[in-house]
């Protein structure tokens, strides 16, 4: 097997850049130094990944290192369901009391920037080498020509499947939408085994799950400037998704967390996910784990794009902004990004970071499927930029 390097992982997101240490930290405010020396500071950090395998471990390690180097700072890392992020943060922004560290789905970034909730970051970036060594997809974090966040993750989707369930039912791994629909129906047996999983709960995850089918059929939610959900391709994708739900091949009224638990329990035969899905595969019970495999989506077009970002609220103190920026900057070092690759099993946004093949495959045995998805010439950015702030 060819050596897996950051060059392979990020061919479509910027290629290989020279590995370099961050070029100097932003100037630290005198007031910030005084606060650090005399006061205890708590930075609130809500995230849907607080208990997610892989990403949670990485964030907790980064937090521990930051608290060690900033002994007067405590980062309060708490769980918020991904479907609640937009509503809860909007309420907190309106009340003038947002959390200091903003980890938000990319889907919410541009609306928050347009509403004036976020601190412009260009002056911070100018004092580092981050933008020179980051994926070109970072440009999607700009609103009216200004950067408002650091892109943490870009991805392509793959299909996770339970090989044992398919083999026991005599079902081949699907390679088309029609084959998947037929397989899901065959693999749904009684109340305890489902052929396919998708959330039906309103929210960003529902939009994502339906969009996988829309993109897969060659459609998109929008063109550059208008909705396109009524095109034949988009209608085909939605119709396929509706057929699966109506056929009862998926549990209903479940968010992604419980559905992934069914996958880990051997009760869900097929599931679409980004590279973070490897964390759930790796944490499955030993009787299920060997049977979970990953392969390409059974569609001619691959769903992908930007996943989540780090940002700073505009209406917090300058001292807090400086501390939050230093934390975000610590996530962007080559060392932290290499750990992200191995611990979270995802391609990283920083270019030029290499991880030895044996180390990567030991942690992420299914990584090649997501490498192929990210590098696919058929990868389609699903994000509906034309509707981002409507």
């Amino acid at each position: 097997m060819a050596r897996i390097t950051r060059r392979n992982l990020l061919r479509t997101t910027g290629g290989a850049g020279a590995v370099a240490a961050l070029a100097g930290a932003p100037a630290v405010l005198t007031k910030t130094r005084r606060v650090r020396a005399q006061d205890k500071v708590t930075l609130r950090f809500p995230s849907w990944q607080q208990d997610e395998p892989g990403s949670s471990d990485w964030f907790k390690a980064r937090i521990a290192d930051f608290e060690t180097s900033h002994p007067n700072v405590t980062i309060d890392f708490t769980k918020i369901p991904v479907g609640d992020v937009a509503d809860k943060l909007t309420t907190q922004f309106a009340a003038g009391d947002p959390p200091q560290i903003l980890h938000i789905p990319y889907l919410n970034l541009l609306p928050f920037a347009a509403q004036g909730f976020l601190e412009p970051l260009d002056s911070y970036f100018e004092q580092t080498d981050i933008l020179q060594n980051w994926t070109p997809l970072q440009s999607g974090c700009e609103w009216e020509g200004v950067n408002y966040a650091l892109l943490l993750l870009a991805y392509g989707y793959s299909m996770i499947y339970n090989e044992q369930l398919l083999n026991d039912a005599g079902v081949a791994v699907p390679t088309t939408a029609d084959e998947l629909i037929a397989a899901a129906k065959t693999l749904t047996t009684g109340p305890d085994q489902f052929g396919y999983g998708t959330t039906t709960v309103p929210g960003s995850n529902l939009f994502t799950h339906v969009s996988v089918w829309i993109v897969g059929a060659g459609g998109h939610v929008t063109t550059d400037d208008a909705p396109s959900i009524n095109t034949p391709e988009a209608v085909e994708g939605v119709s396929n998704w509706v057929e699966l739900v109506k056929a009862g091949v998926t549990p209903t009224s479940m968010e992604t967390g419980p559905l992934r638990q069914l996958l880990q329990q051997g009760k869900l035969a097929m599931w679409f996910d980004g590279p973070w899905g490897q964390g759930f595969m790796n944490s499955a019970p030993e009787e299920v784990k060997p049977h979970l495999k990953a392969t390409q989506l059974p569609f001619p077009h691959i769903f992908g794009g930007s996943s989540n970002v780090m940002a700073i609220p505009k209406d917090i103190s300058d001292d807090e902004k400086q501390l939050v920026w230093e934390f975000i900057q610590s996530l962007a070092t080559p060392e932290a990004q290499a750990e992200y690759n191995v611990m979270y099993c995802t391609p990283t946004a920083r270019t030029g970071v290499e991880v030895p093949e044996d180390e990567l495959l030991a942690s992420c045995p299914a990584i090649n499927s997501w490498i192929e998805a990210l590098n696919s010439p058929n990868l389609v950015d699903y994000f509906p930029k034309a509707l981002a702030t409507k």
Side-chain angles (χ1 to χ4, degrees):
M1 179 185 292
R3 175 181 171 84
I4 299 176
T5 69
R6 302 305 307 136
R7 294 177 177 86
N8 293 331
L9 287 172
L10 290 171
R11 282 200 305 269
T12 59
T13 56
V19 177
L22 291 175
V28 179
L29 301 175
T30 302
K31 184 176 179 182
T32 303
R33 289 196 186 101
R34 185 167 60 248
V35 168
R36 290 181 186 174
Q38 298 176 354
D39 298 333
K40 297 293 184 182
V41 179
T42 297
L43 303 177
R44 288 173 289 150
F45 179 11
S47 171
W48 65 97
Q49 293 183 342
Q50 190 270 343
D51 59 355
E52 186 174 295
S55 57
S56 173
D57 298 329
W58 181 74
F59 273 125
K60 289 174 181 176
R62 298 295 93 238
I63 289 168
D65 281 356
F66 189 82
E67 290 178 339
T68 298
S69 63
H70 298 72
N72 67 315
V73 177
T74 298
I75 295 180
D76 185 18
F77 190 38
T78 58
K79 176 63 181 283
I80 179 174
V82 67
D84 294 343
V85 170
D87 288 344
K88 288 192 174 181
L89 287 180
T90 299
T91 299
Q92 291 171 326
F93 277 120
D97 187 34
Q100 292 90 342
I101 300 175
L102 294 179
H103 182 216
I104 54 179
Y106 181 77
L107 189 67
N108 303 125
L109 171 61
L110 298 185
F112 282 2
Q115 293 178 76
F117 291 159
L118 306 180
E119 173 81 355
L121 296 187
D122 287 336
S123 63
Y124 297 85
F125 282 133
E126 286 171 0
Q127 300 176 68
T128 76
D129 73 338
I130 293 176
L131 293 185
Q132 291 83 0
N133 292 284
W134 220 250
T135 167
L137 290 175
Q138 172 65 30
S139 63
C141 294
E142 295 180 6
W143 172 250
E144 297 184 340
V146 177
N147 277 289
Y148 283 95
L150 177 71
L151 178 63
L152 195 59
L153 176 62
Y155 61 90
Y157 259 43
S158 290
M159 183 175 77
I160 302 172
Y161 65 97
N162 188 310
E163 186 177 52
Q164 183 179 51
L165 294 182
L166 270 65
N167 288 344
D168 289 349
V171 173
V173 177
T175 59
T176 68
D178 288 342
E179 288 179 3
L180 187 142
I181 292 170
K185 292 176 180 178
T186 299
L187 290 161
T188 301
T189 58
D192 295 326
Q193 180 178 308
F194 296 90
Y196 172 75
T198 177
T199 184
T200 55
V201 178
S204 61
N205 282 329
L206 175 60
F207 173 80
T208 296
H209 286 206
V210 177
S211 292
V212 177
W213 287 88
I214 293 172
V215 168
H220 208 285
V221 174
T222 70
T223 61
D224 289 340
D225 56 6
S228 56
I229 194 65
N230 60 345
T231 63
E233 296 83 3
V235 170
E236 177 186 347
V238 174
S239 298
N240 286 334
W241 180 86
V242 170
E243 180 177 351
L244 286 166
V245 175
K246 286 186 174 180
V249 305
T250 179
T252 56
S253 301
M254 277 193 184
E255 255 294 359
T256 54
L259 287 167
R260 286 178 174 128
Q261 289 175 7
L262 290 178
L263 180 76
Q264 292 173 314
Q265 295 164 4
K267 297 179 180 180
L268 193 65
M270 295 180 290
W271 171 255
F272 298 160
D273 220 334
W276 50 87
Q278 293 175 94
F280 298 97
M281 295 169 70
N282 292 344
S283 59
E286 289 303 317
E287 63 271 20
V288 176
K289 181 177 176 180
H291 306 302
L292 295 180
K293 309 294 183 181
T295 189
Q296 293 304 287
L297 294 178
F299 306 132
H301 306 280
I302 305 301
F303 174 96
S306 300
S307 174
N308 58 82
V309 302
M310 304 298 300
I312 302 173
K314 184 177 181 180
D315 293 330
I316 60 175
S317 72
D318 289 344
D319 294 342
E320 290 174 319
K321 289 176 185 177
Q322 181 65 33
L323 287 170
V324 174
W325 171 248
E326 290 177 18
F327 177 68
I328 292 174
Q329 190 179 10
S330 75
L331 305 180
T333 65
E335 296 78 12
Q337 289 283 292
E339 289 180 2
Y340 189 78
N341 185 200
V342 174
M343 295 176 73
Y344 196 23
C345 292
T346 68
T348 62
R350 188 176 182 98
T351 60
V353 179
E354 297 188 0
V355 176
E357 179 181 4
D358 55 352
E359 180 182 353
L360 183 60
L361 290 179
S363 297
C364 316
I367 188 71
N368 283 324
S369 180
W370 279 280
I371 294 172
E372 184 177 347
L374 182 65
N375 292 333
S376 172
N378 299 316
L379 183 73
V380 176
D381 186 350
Y382 79 99
F383 188 73
K385 291 183 173 61
L387 302 181
T389 60
K390 302 297 185 183

